[in-house]
Amino acid sequence: MKKTGVINVLFASFEAAPFIKTGGLGDVAGSLPEALRSKNLDIRVIMPKLSAIPEDLIKDAEFVESYYVPLSWRNQYCGLFKLVKGKMTYYFLDNEFYFKRNRVYGEFDDAERVGFFSKAVLESIEHMDDFHPDIIHCNDWHTALIPVFLHEHYMKVPGFDRIKTVYTTHNLKFQGQFSDFVLGNVLGLEGTSADHQLRQKNGGINFTQAAVRYADRVTTVSRTYAEEICGPYYGEGLDGLLREYSGKLCGIVNGIDTKDWNPARDRNIAKKYKADDLSGKAACKAALQRELGLEENPDVPLLAIVSRLTEQKGFDLVLYDLPYIEGMNAQLAILGTGERKFEDAFRYHQGIHPDKIAVRLEFDEALSHRFYAGSDIFVMPSRFEPCGLSQMISMRYGTLPIVRETGGLKDTVIPYNRYTGEGTGFSFSNYNGEELMDKIREACALYSDNREAWQQLMRNAMSVDFSWKAAAKEYKKIYSSLV
Ligand code: ADP
């Protein structure tokens, strides 16, 4: 039963750490709800019971009920599971046909899988006997159909007419665009009022476009990105729509899980350290150099990348700069998976300079901790970056980021000021390999020539509060304004 004065929020996401994470969305869904939970805010996470979730993490989930979810001409089984972990409640929606797959995303029937998930979230509400949401907080295009189905099919169901929706885009590049066929056959929305809201001007349908229209509030993950996406360069074709709805759009900078990402307590790293005693970081660096087969030398600046290997992250600039980096007294370590052309190119460079370039083409959470702790400089020259977590994580580990001034990178990294010694990293403005190279040279020179200034920057970076506190306050304000 709902307690008076308490706002109930159902936080819908296709992934959430620690259960499953493919990128930043998993981190956010894993840590933001916990930061939001309070005596006045009952927030529960709902996600698919994906087969990729390690069994031991959900073995204690209790089966609540099963029911059938209508989706166009289909009627699909859905099992509702509930797991209370610490103070958080998680719901998992089970359907092996949709969720027992090798990959989280990128399946041929993703439109149907996320359509089912969105519909099943709404259907599940009547089966959660101790919880009825005031707000459904939807995250990314996998949940973009929730506001659409809510308006189309559930407004006449008692209790549903008061449910408000918040839609957060974590990356506008991914919108959920499909052929017209999906509209009727898959979603059962052809000829409804949602039909027009989903259709794009130039053909096909777009889940995010409809979510922006139907949701009560739209948010994204940094202030700068919220401004950027209202213009054509970053707007991914939706800038006109976002300008039209700018009254309900705002940007809230993400935080990170400061318990998980904490060099003073991190069990994954060779030696723990903190801002007022940095000695452990040298041990972490030596261990990482050894592990990666790089020359074990504390004086060579070690540059690192932990990332999806995609265009977005600025890898064409990194490739342009690689021959220069190879000619310098520096090392580069890359941990990532993604586009074949980048994987091949980095593997090739590692083959030529194995003493200087180390590449690990895998997704390895524990190794990522060793990368953040063991390197000196983190390279993140993104073409666009809604928020970015890696630069915040690296700063927390005293690894100074070099970033391009876009989106959340601009909002979270204070560029080094050589006159005042202020700053938490390095930044450049234009998407250009030469500008990135200038910053790499500047950072490496400072590391080698002025250790005192470098250590001051490390301490500055490590003392910034990257917790969810500030963001949680802003999300609470949005929730309160809706109920
Ligand atoms: P995005 O969500 O665009 O991929 P973010 O910077 O917001 O980028 O978040 C990326 C998250 O995924 C970080 O926690 C980063 O450490 C992690 N990550 C990316 N690639 C890997 C990898 N290959 N192995 C382990 N963690 C990774």
Side-chain angles (χ1 to χ4, degrees), residues 21 23-25 27 261 306-308 312-313 335-337 362-365 368 372 380 385 388-390 393:
K21 162 181 159 181
L25 172 62
D27 282 312
W261 299 109
V306 178
S307 180
R308 287 184 292 122
Q312 175 199 333
K313 301 291 179 178
L335 171 62
T337 54
E362 58 199 307
F363 193 99
D364 186 333
E365 180 82 26
S368 76
Y372 288 116
M380 198 166 173
E385 194 58 72
L389 301 175
S390 299
I393 300 170

Side-chain angles (χ1 to χ4, degrees), residues 139-141 144 167-177 200 206-212 218-222 225-243 249 308 312 384-387:
N139 292 277
D140 269 353
W141 69 271
Y167 180 71
T168 297
T169 173
H170 296 258
N171 189 339
L172 196 63
K173 181 100 186 151
F174 307 110
Q175 299 178 6
Q177 288 167 292
Q200 302 183 123
N206 186 323
F207 294 2
T208 299
Q209 170 185 294
V212 169
V218 178
T219 75
T220 187
V221 288
S222 69
Y225 192 60
E227 285 165 21
E228 287 174 341
I229 55 178
C230 289
Y233 184 79
Y234 296 97
E236 305 287 348
L238 290 187
D239 49 299
L241 180 79
L242 290 165
R243 283 196 298 278
L249 170 69
R308 287 184 292 122
Q312 175 199 333
F384 68 94
E385 194 58 72
C387 179

Side-chain angles (χ1 to χ4, degrees), residues 77-128:
Y77 167 88
C78 181
L80 176 66
F81 286 76
K82 181 178 173 184
L83 175 70
V84 179
K85 189 171 174 288
K87 291 183 173 156
M88 283 297 298
T89 299
Y90 297 87
Y91 293 106
F92 294 91
L93 298 181
D94 180 36
N95 175 305
E96 293 200 348
F97 173 66
Y98 291 125
F99 303 141
K100 192 174 176 185
R101 302 286 177 94
N102 293 330
R103 288 182 296 189
V104 177
Y105 312 110
E107 296 283 323
F108 73 98
D109 57 348
D110 274 358
E112 188 176 326
R113 295 170 73 225
V114 309
F116 169 79
F117 176 61
S118 298
K119 201 78 179 285
V121 166
L122 292 162
E123 286 289 322
S124 68
I125 290 170
E126 293 198 302
H127 303 274
M128 299 171 179

Side-chain angles (χ1 to χ4, degrees), residues 363-391:
F363 193 99
D364 186 333
E365 180 82 26
L367 181 56
S368 76
H369 284 247
R370 302 199 289 279
F371 264 62
Y372 288 116
S375 49
D376 303 301
I377 297 165
F378 193 83
V379 182
M380 198 166 173
S382 306
R383 187 184 286 276
F384 68 94
E385 194 58 72
C387 179
L389 301 175
S390 299
Q391 82 283 9

